[in-house]
Amino acid sequence: LVGSYTVGGTATAGSDYATLSGTATFDAGAANTSVVVTPFSDNLAEGDETISITLQPSADYQIPASPTAAITLKDTAAGSWLFGQFGAQANDPQIAGWMEDPDMDGLNNLQEMAYGTAATAANPDPLMQDMAEVGGNRYLRLHVPKNPALPGLIYEVQATSDLGNPATWSGSGLVIEENSATMLRVRDSTPAAPGIARFMRSQVSLP
């Protein structure tokens, strides 16, 4: 038995998902069947989009009380964050590009997403530094907040003694005290001492 259906919703056939045939085959005596929907990954931040399939009347079968099935197409986690922050401007690279800083608070959009801060309102620095005492020595330590909604992001803390030489930044030898879903806390491996300057920073990258 072949039934026909119409397709609606806010998603666009051919660009958001593969165009559906408009017909579905039911096995003899079956009350339901499956329609396979194949979504496309378009790398656009669009917010939730819907697809609805409504079985059409026929003399060959009875229409159920609820003849419509619906599904929701969702953005990637990063796309969802961009759409939540920028709405209709989420795909404008001059505003929502990862290296842009539209609120001019010194944090680019990738950092704002990674640290869980707003991209459209200036924020205080979310990173916190303190000193940790271990074995009679004091070490510089950096606390980096992590956005638990984006578990795939890559966080790294680096340290250097020479701000004038970018090549000296390195995460080698640093002590990771905590690396949870919400916090990365890293301690320097070089103890603080008179005449020794140490600096730490956080780096974030997409997977």
Side-chain angles (χ1 to χ4, degrees):
L1 176 64
V2 176
S4 63
Y5 59 82
T6 57
V7 181
T10 59
T12 302
S15 59
D16 291 320
Y17 62 96
T19 301
L20 299 172
S21 68
T23 60
T25 301
F26 291 78
D27 292 334
N32 55 63
T33 190
S34 297
V35 174
V36 177
V37 177
T38 304
F40 296 146
S41 179
D42 55 13
N43 295 317
L44 295 176
E46 302 171 295
D48 289 353
E49 296 178 294
T50 60
I51 303 170
S52 61
I53 296 173
T54 302
L55 186 64
Q56 296 301 292
S58 171
D60 296 327
Y61 50 81
Q62 292 182 331
I63 293 290
S66 299
T68 299
I71 61 173
T72 300
L73 300 182
K74 290 190 170 291
D75 284 331
T76 63
S80 180
W81 183 88
L82 285 171
F83 190 80
Q85 295 290 316
F86 300 107
Q89 295 177 307
N91 299 297
D92 184 340
Q94 294 184 326
I95 296 175
W98 291 125
M99 296 300 106
E100 299 302 319
D101 180 16
D103 58 8
M104 296 182 292
D105 62 359
L107 298 173
N108 62 42
N109 288 328
L110 178 57
Q111 293 170 318
E112 301 271 25
M113 180 176 70
Y115 303 145
T117 52
T120 55
N123 304 279
D125 188 351
L127 306 183
M128 187 185 78
Q129 286 190 359
D130 64 3
M131 302 297 295
E133 186 165 336
V134 179
N137 292 315
R138 301 179 74 242
Y139 297 85
L140 187 62
R141 183 168 58 185
L142 187 65
H143 303 248
V144 181
K146 296 171 63 178
N147 187 342
L150 281 298
L153 292 178
I154 301 168
Y155 299 76
E156 182 187 15
V157 171
Q158 300 174 335
T160 185
S161 294
D162 184 2
L163 288 178
N165 185 356
T168 62
W169 285 102
S170 173
S172 178
L174 301 183
V175 179
I176 299 176
E177 295 185 338
E178 178 184 352
N179 189 10
S180 66
T182 58
M183 176 63 63
L184 173 61
R185 185 173 67 247
V186 180
R187 187 176 77 239
D188 196 4
S189 56
T190 300
I196 298 178
R198 293 291 287 174
F199 308 92
M200 300 183 79
R201 71 178 183 184
S202 168
Q203 297 281 85
V204 182
S205 58
L206 294 167

